[in-house]
Amino acid sequence: EDKVVQSPLSLVVHEGDTVTLNCSYEVTNFRSLLWYKQEKKAPTFLFMLTSSGIEKKSGRLSSILDKKELFSILNITATQTGDSAVYLCAVYPQGAQKLVFGQGTRLTINP
Amino acid sequence: DAGITQSPRHKVTETGTPVTLRCHQTENHRYMYWYRQDPGHGLRLIHYSYGVKDTDKGEVSDGYSVSRSKTEDFLLTLESATSSQTSVYFCAISLRGEGDTQYFGPGTRLTVL
């Protein structure tokens, strides 16, 4: 069965800290991995990763994929209160329309 | 934001009544999806569509049906709502389908009493 596991499930840090969120997966013939940010509404797209070792970066957020070890990390540097959200990791198995989602990491940034 | 709207945004209904949720997109994307999001289960695919009148089941399709008569509209119907179908329902769209980014609508919160 295809599975995506995120850790930690919950994280509380102070503004300005750097955080690392983890996503490991077991899927049949991996195709791509996506990160989303969800505040009190719809998930919004952050990154898509398909190749190992290539870092995707957008401002203070960055992500990298390790296809050999079957995991990805999402880094957020110099965190701000606006980064507080649930971060979702999802994986496309090859040949499937279905995105398999992890349970998410709830990140809380305290001022 | 991708041009996706969902209606209604909130609905309270009683067990046994039929309910239809609508997803409308202005992006002309071929693929459309219905997910439900529940605590402890994350987002799970109910049904998806890969074109007008072309639909297929996801992992939690029991009790749900869908229809797509136009590119822009994807309807989710609960023929006889049950309390286990209380959830937040998200529609998503994708241009190329498998492997491609999915963009989500604002969600519909459905409560079945």
Side-chain angles (χ1 to χ4, degrees):
Chain A
E1 183 185 334
D2 298 327
K3 193 163 76 168
V4 176
V5 177
Q6 292 185 244
S7 63
L9 292 180
S10 180
L11 184 59
V12 181
V13 300
H14 290 292
E15 202 168 19
D17 288 351
T18 293
V19 298
T20 297
L21 309 183
N22 303 293
C23 174
S24 63
Y25 60 89
E26 296 175 24
V27 296
T28 308
N29 298 323
F30 171 90
R31 172 84 183 243
S32 57
L33 183 146
L34 291 80
W35 284 97
Y36 288 86
K37 176 182 181 182
Q38 185 175 26
E39 298 167 271
K40 293 186 186 299
K41 48 185 180 175
T44 54
F45 172 72
L46 295 174
F47 299 113
M48 177 188 281
L49 302 153
T50 56
S51 301
S52 271
I54 297 175
E55 185 181 26
K56 288 279 184 88
K57 197 170 168 64
S58 176
R60 296 176 294 100
L61 278 66
S62 63
S63 184
I64 197 160
L65 173 69
D66 186 327
K67 284 171 74 173
K68 183 179 175 187
E69 300 299 329
L70 308 183
F71 76 90
S72 173
I73 60 172
L74 176 67
N75 278 320
I76 309 175
T77 60
T79 52
Q80 302 170 358
T81 54
D83 295 327
S84 294
V86 174
Y87 289 84
L88 300 169
C89 174
V91 174
Y92 265 117
Q94 190 101 25
Q97 287 297 330
K98 181 179 71 171
L99 265 176
V100 181
F101 280 86
Q103 291 201 20
T105 293
R106 181 174 296 278
L107 177 63
T108 303
I109 311 296
N110 288 327
Chain B
D1 289 344
I4 313 170
T5 57
Q6 291 184 231
S7 58
R9 296 292 313 281
H10 302 271
K11 186 169 182 68
V12 179
T13 192
E14 294 190 349
T15 298
T17 59
V19 176
T20 295
L21 308 182
R22 180 181 183 238
C23 177
H24 179 78
Q25 59 141 333
T26 58
E27 305 295 323
N28 202 33
H29 282 16
R30 179 180 173 189
Y31 294 82
M32 298 184 75
Y33 310 81
W34 277 108
Y35 288 88
R36 58 179 291 174
Q37 186 173 36
D38 305 288
H41 290 281
L43 279 154
R44 293 177 293 173
L45 182 66
I46 305 171
H47 282 281
Y48 69 96
S49 170
Y50 49 97
V52 173
K53 295 195 189 327
D54 293 322
T55 65
D56 206 349
K57 296 179 180 180
E59 62 181 308
V60 290
S61 59
D62 287 349
Y64 301 95
S65 62
V66 289
S67 66
R68 191 164 177 206
S69 58
K70 298 186 287 186
T71 298
E72 56 266 35
D73 288 324
F74 192 31
L75 303 181
L76 177 71
T77 298
L78 292 66
E79 301 289 348
S80 177
T82 67
S83 58
S84 65
Q85 293 175 312
T86 293
S87 186
V88 179
Y89 291 85
F90 287 102
C91 173
I93 65 173
S94 164
L95 183 60
R96 288 178 289 271
E98 183 201 333
D100 195 21
T101 303
Q102 293 185 19
Y103 297 95
F104 285 81
T108 294
R109 183 173 294 276
L110 176 67
T111 302
V112 184
L113 301 175

